[in-house]
Amino acid sequence: MNKPLKQHLIDPEICIRCYTCEMTCPVEAITHDDNNVVVDAEKCDFCMDCIPVCPTGSIDEWRVVNTPYSLEEQFSWEDLPAQGDVGTSAAQGGSVEALDDAMEALLAEAHKGAGGKSKAPASAAKPTVNMYNLGKPAIAKVQGNYRLTSTESGSDVRHLILEFGGQPFPVLEGQSIGIIPPGLDANGKPHLPRLYSVSSPRDGERPNFNNLSLTVKREEQGLCSNYVCDLKIGDEVRVTGPFGATFLMPEDPAARLLMVCTGTGAAPFRGFTMRRQRAAAGASGDMVMFFGARAPDSLPYFGPLNKVPDRLLKKHLVFSRIPGVEKEYVQDRMMVEQEVVANLLADPKTHIYICGLRGMEQGVELAFKNIAESTGLGWEATRDAMRDEGRYHVETY
Ligand code: NAP
């Protein structure tokens, strides 16, 4: 019999197919087919470089096995096999205890990045994932493409509306879709899809239409962002997904939402807000948003956001590049509003969502830590408990 060994796996249900792990792996142990992103047990040397770059924590799965799962087996999975299903003897019932000390230390370090392993809110609706893939994408038609930011701002952020006609494409707020840019890469292979958060609610950008919206910023060198930002009404787009099974809204109308975002990271929170507006207008749980952009004319949805009543959404819009005004980041405003944040942190009904630039994570965590500790709460313990209860979510790139 083979000696039991640790195998690194990726949870196909939670993975959002951003392929960042594949691009990061220094030994090319991570690969994909049309369906899944998987780890080759023969190549993986447990360097852990892929763990902190994963936005969902789906990369952080381990099983003790007698015989490693093959690539073919992993490609076919819709969800991960439980540890108990594995192997024949020693591996049965084997678990994290079987990991050696060095591995545990590495994992503990890795979990510090990317917000650790995320869980869906207990009351969230069940998401549909991975319905369309690289080999079988949905074909959507562009219904609208509107610029959200001024020409003078130097930032071209677009509101895209995609329509799916008769193809079922069920999404929940907070989920993402992939867009496959046309053409081939430098190696003559089709381009991988690029991920965008859906910015409309589950019942459509227009209620009861089979459409959804995205919020996309044109990046100077961005292959897909330029393709998307230049799309015209009626153009056809190849779409994969939907993806994401944890960054979801609670259904509970008493749940309180604290949303922290920068730039286009506001996309999912537009969906959250519209969902509450449409489906739970009288919800007792409040929504508080800290949203950072360079200036009002580069903050996506600045006008419409200001029209959302405070009783539904309390907005703290902060700006970093207004001439003559001191730079302000979301974490600075959180400190100014620390009583509001402390009140939310102390409430078991509160769900925290952080979305946007990866660089903001550290500053936002520090603000939470200062605020929590000023009220006698240990931040790490509070955050980890919230994460385990599906109440702490991070999606940063
Ligand atoms: P951006 O305009 O570059 O930045 C937005 C604001 O964040 C600016 O005020 C910026 O200030 C500030 N900022 C920079 N570093 C910060 C830090 N360390 N802490 C706090 N604030 C900081 O943003 P963007 O280009 O729109 O990028 C948004 C990010 O969201 C991207 O990484 C994108 O991939 C990600 N995202 C997008 C979606 C989507 O669906 N579109 C979904 C999820 C995540 P400065 O003046 O200092 O630059």
Side-chain angles (χ1 to χ4, degrees):
M1 192 194 316
N2 296 335
K3 194 166 160 253
L5 52 87
K6 296 173 284 277
Q7 183 170 14
H8 183 195
L9 299 168
I10 298 174
D11 186 335
E13 211 178 3
I14 294 176
C15 169
I16 54 175
R17 278 80 174 163
C18 64
Y19 307 100
T20 311
C21 55
E22 185 173 333
M23 289 179 254
T24 305
C25 179
V27 294
E28 296 182 3
I30 302 182
T31 182
H32 69 272
D33 71 348
D34 283 352
N35 210 34
N36 285 339
V37 186
V38 302
V39 186
D40 187 337
E42 281 184 22
K43 292 186 184 165
C44 176
D45 61 5
F46 304 105
C47 73
M48 304 286 164
D49 284 4
C50 57
I51 306 287
V53 298
C54 172
T56 63
S58 58
I59 190 82
D60 200 1
E61 289 292 344
W62 308 86
R63 295 290 184 271
V64 181
V65 292
N66 286 327
T67 308
Y69 292 107
S70 68
L71 293 179
E72 283 63 35
E73 280 172 288
Q74 296 179 58
F75 284 141
S76 72
W77 288 344
E78 285 186 7
D79 43 29
L80 272 187
Q83 174 64 61
D85 297 340
V86 178
T88 48
S89 62
Q92 288 225 342
S95 67
V96 191
E97 293 89 67
L99 301 181
D100 57 39
D101 291 347
M103 176 64 73
E104 286 207 38
L106 275 169
L107 284 175
E109 188 56 33
H111 285 165
K112 283 190 194 153
K117 279 197 212 183
S118 198
K119 264 175 104 176
S123 69
K126 175 101 181 110
T128 303
V129 291
N130 211 18
M131 212 172 163
Y132 297 92
N133 61 27
L134 279 168
K136 187 184 71 85
I139 307 296
K141 258 205 174 123
V142 177
Q143 240 179 0
N145 179 350
Y146 309 100
R147 186 165 176 155
L148 297 168
T149 47
S150 75
T151 320
E152 299 76 49
S153 72
S155 162
D156 185 1
V157 181
R158 301 278 170 155
H159 183 67
L160 256 289
I161 305 173
L162 299 180
E163 211 267 329
F164 290 84
Q167 302 153 100
F169 204 96
V171 289
L172 292 176
E173 305 79 20
Q175 285 194 289
S176 305
I177 65 166
I179 297 221
I180 309 175
L184 302 175
D185 67 16
N187 301 318
K189 288 194 182 150
H191 292 293
L192 286 175
R194 307 302 199 266
L195 268 191
Y196 298 97
S197 296
V198 173
S199 55
S200 50
R202 66 190 74 181
D203 58 340
E205 170 69 5
R206 186 168 167 195
N208 305 317
F209 276 67
N210 191 16
N211 62 5
L212 57 77
S213 71
L214 306 175
T215 312
V216 181
K217 181 176 176 182
R218 189 190 294 277
E219 301 291 346
E220 215 171 299
Q221 305 295 327
L223 173 92
C224 195
S225 74
N226 277 291
Y227 163 66
V228 172
C229 289
D230 289 336
L231 284 168
K232 305 274 176 296
I233 290 176
D235 282 352
E236 290 195 339
V237 184
R238 290 178 300 157
V239 179
T240 61
F243 301 119
T246 63
F247 197 100
L248 302 172
M249 291 183 77
E251 291 288 285
D252 178 5
R256 307 178 69 191
L257 310 190
L258 171 54
M259 303 171 285
V260 186
C261 58
T262 48
T264 54
F269 304 143
R270 179 178 182 270
F272 286 14
T273 307
M274 289 173 77
R275 173 68 184 165
R276 274 266 166 107
Q277 261 174 328
R278 285 186 194 170
S284 58
D286 53 350
M287 299 174 80
V288 178
M289 169 188 252
F290 290 88
F291 184 175
R294 295 175 186 185
D297 66 351
S298 59
L299 186 139
Y301 310 108
F302 183 72
L305 247 182
N306 275 307
K307 290 196 187 119
V308 178
D310 264 14
R311 66 172 185 284
L312 181 77
L313 176 70
K314 290 186 193 69
K315 302 159 284 284
H316 299 280
L317 308 182
V318 304
F319 304 107
S320 58
R321 299 195 199 180
I322 297 183
V325 178
E326 204 180 330
K327 188 182 193 82
E328 189 179 19
Y329 279 169
V330 280
Q331 56 268 38
D332 303 325
R333 183 65 70 90
M334 286 167 64
M335 290 306 296
V336 173
E337 297 290 338
Q338 53 181 292
E339 273 181 36
V340 171
V341 177
N343 170 284
L344 284 158
L345 277 181
D347 190 339
K349 287 273 181 206
T350 298
H351 292 246
I352 294 176
Y353 297 86
I354 301 167
C355 189
L357 295 168
R358 170 139 292 177
M360 79 193 266
E361 239 182 86
Q362 208 184 354
V364 169
E365 277 251 359
L366 189 60
F368 275 128
K369 187 174 165 68
N370 286 335
I371 296 167
E373 289 177 359
S374 73
T375 66
L377 280 179
W379 166 243
E380 280 81 11
T382 304
R383 178 202 58 202
D384 292 351
M386 289 186 80
R387 185 183 295 136
D388 288 347
E389 291 162 15
R391 298 193 295 118
Y392 185 79
H393 305 273
V394 181
E395 201 160 287
T396 55
Y397 299 96

